[in-house]
Amino acid sequence: MVWDSLVAVADQPQGLAWLAAVIILTMITSFIIFPPSDKEMEDPSLIDAYLTYTPYQPQATWLSDFKVLKAMYVSKITGDDLQERLNSFYDQQADLYDSYRVRMLHGRPLMLKAVARHTKPTASLKKKGLVWVDLACGTGYNVESFKTCLDKFHAIYLLDLCVPLTKVAQRERADKYNDKSKKHQKIQVIHGDATDFDCPGLPEAGTADIVTISYSLVMIPDWRKAIRNAKRLLKPDGKGMIAVSDFTLDPDQRSVMKTFWKSIFAKDHVFLNEEHLQVLHDEFDVVEAAGAYGPLPYTPSFLQPAYYHFCGTTKMK
């Protein structure tokens, strides 16, 4: 009943604007009443996994959330190109990025659990160590999920185009976990474009065991090229694994809700596209894939954007 009423309102002239106003009012009310919190449940399917997945949930406060919300919805995004816009958007929230988004990026832990569940290296690869590339890594948050088994990796490459976020990745991941006494620094932070096939610092083509892209394809204009770059980096013939998670549009959604979510996200230069999953299915052999809806902080529970997670391997020749 509530859903049908909302759809009816949204179909009216100025309906989307009215609905957006209701959301903002609800966000303000929720911000005052409900504290920022979330808790991830344990997954028994990971007990025997080669990689140990560890939930990472940085704590948020009302003040930190307020600063993030202000940066997201009030501060103006400036810049002539993607890098400048990213720097502008994240400059005031980079240090608070993880504590807020851990409660809205619901596909990311599912993606990382899939990586843990399906990574089954040979004896020789166990000895050499895994090579992992995290394209458009943001703050390098994903490293925290495998912090207790970093010894199983030979190298981890964290690449992002946003300067404020790479600074956090350097401080909180590379500087935190690298052994300074060793010549080989396992975690490398790279300032670069996920679509750049010639980006300095990345491993050679066909040498990566794992490539992850979490909640960033929607912000990359040439997202198909980013997927091709991931495919280029991965080991061929089923030996390389890709894992992706992101917001999306559900093909079964009402058109008015698709329009609503596209417009809401587009204000932050996030462009929802239901073609992502189809391209991933076409380019890789599917290991695990699913979609669902998930809540956003301080947003009515009946308004939830769609998301997906995908795990696949390079195709056999």
Side-chain angles (χ1 to χ4, degrees):
M1 181 71 72
V2 173
W3 179 257
D4 290 338
S5 299
L6 287 170
V7 171
V9 169
D11 278 331
Q12 301 300 315
Q14 304 300 318
L16 287 177
W18 184 89
L19 197 54
V22 171
I23 293 173
I24 293 173
L25 180 61
T26 304
M27 289 174 67
I28 295 173
T29 304
S30 300
F31 184 84
I32 296 172
I33 298 175
F34 302 108
S37 64
D38 197 9
K39 187 175 182 180
E40 188 174 338
M41 303 298 291
E42 292 186 5
D43 188 340
S45 71
L46 300 176
I47 293 176
D48 297 323
Y50 177 71
L51 294 177
T52 303
Y53 171 83
T54 303
Y56 176 57
Q57 296 176 304
Q59 295 300 305
T61 64
W62 277 309
L63 179 59
S64 67
D65 277 359
F66 175 78
K67 291 179 179 179
V68 172
L69 289 168
K70 179 176 179 291
M72 291 174 62
Y73 297 108
V74 179
S75 300
K76 183 179 179 181
I77 302 174
T78 60
D80 296 327
D81 58 26
L82 179 59
Q83 179 176 325
E84 291 179 356
R85 289 193 295 271
L86 288 171
N87 291 344
S88 170
F89 183 62
Y90 289 112
D91 184 54
Q92 301 301 315
Q93 55 172 311
D95 289 323
L96 308 172
Y97 181 94
D98 293 332
S99 63
Y100 185 86
R101 284 167 177 77
V102 71
R103 287 168 284 142
M104 63 185 285
L105 307 186
H106 305 289
R108 181 167 57 184
L110 299 176
M111 177 198 78
L112 294 169
K113 289 177 183 179
V115 170
R117 188 181 300 114
H118 299 295
T119 298
K120 299 176 181 179
T122 62
S124 61
L125 184 53
K126 288 181 180 180
K127 187 175 181 179
K128 294 177 182 177
L130 298 166
V131 174
W132 172 21
V133 180
D134 196 5
L135 291 177
C137 69
T139 64
Y141 169 103
N142 293 342
V143 171
E144 297 291 343
S145 295
F146 298 120
K147 63 184 178 182
T148 61
C149 61
L150 291 177
D151 58 312
K152 295 179 179 178
F153 293 91
H154 170 70
I156 300 173
Y157 299 89
L158 306 178
L159 179 143
D160 203 274
L161 189 60
C162 177
V163 174
L165 295 183
T166 56
K167 288 182 178 178
V168 176
Q170 181 65 46
R171 182 184 71 239
E172 297 297 327
R173 318 311 168 204
D175 294 345
K176 182 178 178 180
Y177 292 116
N178 278 335
D179 186 344
K180 305 300 188 300
S181 66
K182 295 183 178 180
K183 183 178 180 179
H184 171 65
Q185 297 296 288
K186 181 174 297 186
I187 301 175
Q188 298 290 326
V189 177
I190 304 167
H191 175 240
D193 191 333
T195 66
D196 184 359
F197 287 22
D198 300 313
C199 181
L202 285 176
E204 294 183 4
T207 62
D209 299 289
I210 303 167
V211 172
T212 50
I213 311 175
S214 57
Y215 285 88
S216 49
L217 280 184
V218 288
M219 302 185 76
I220 301 174
D222 195 351
W223 57 270
R224 293 175 185 271
K225 190 174 181 181
I227 292 176
R228 291 199 302 271
N229 197 20
K231 185 176 180 180
R232 180 188 68 86
L233 290 165
L234 285 167
K235 292 178 178 178
D237 298 328
K239 297 178 181 178
M241 176 190 296
I242 186 171
V244 184
S245 59
D246 220 324
F247 293 113
T248 189
L249 295 171
D250 185 343
D252 296 327
Q253 275 180 306
R254 295 173 183 263
S255 59
V256 66
M257 294 312 299
K258 288 184 180 181
T259 301
F260 171 75
W261 284 118
K262 287 178 74 172
S263 63
I264 290 293
F265 278 92
K267 293 181 185 300
D268 290 332
H269 296 272
V270 175
F271 302 101
L272 305 186
N273 193 324
E274 55 194 296
E275 294 181 15
H276 290 178
L277 261 178
Q278 184 58 56
V279 171
L280 290 168
H281 277 262
D282 292 341
E283 295 293 332
F284 301 94
D285 287 333
V286 181
V287 174
E288 179 177 321
Y293 291 83
L296 303 176
Y298 310 113
T299 303
S301 59
F302 54 80
L303 283 175
Q304 299 186 6
Y307 69 88
Y308 70 89
H309 80 279
F310 175 93
C311 182
T313 57
T314 48
K315 289 182 179 291
M316 299 293 292
K317 292 182 179 180

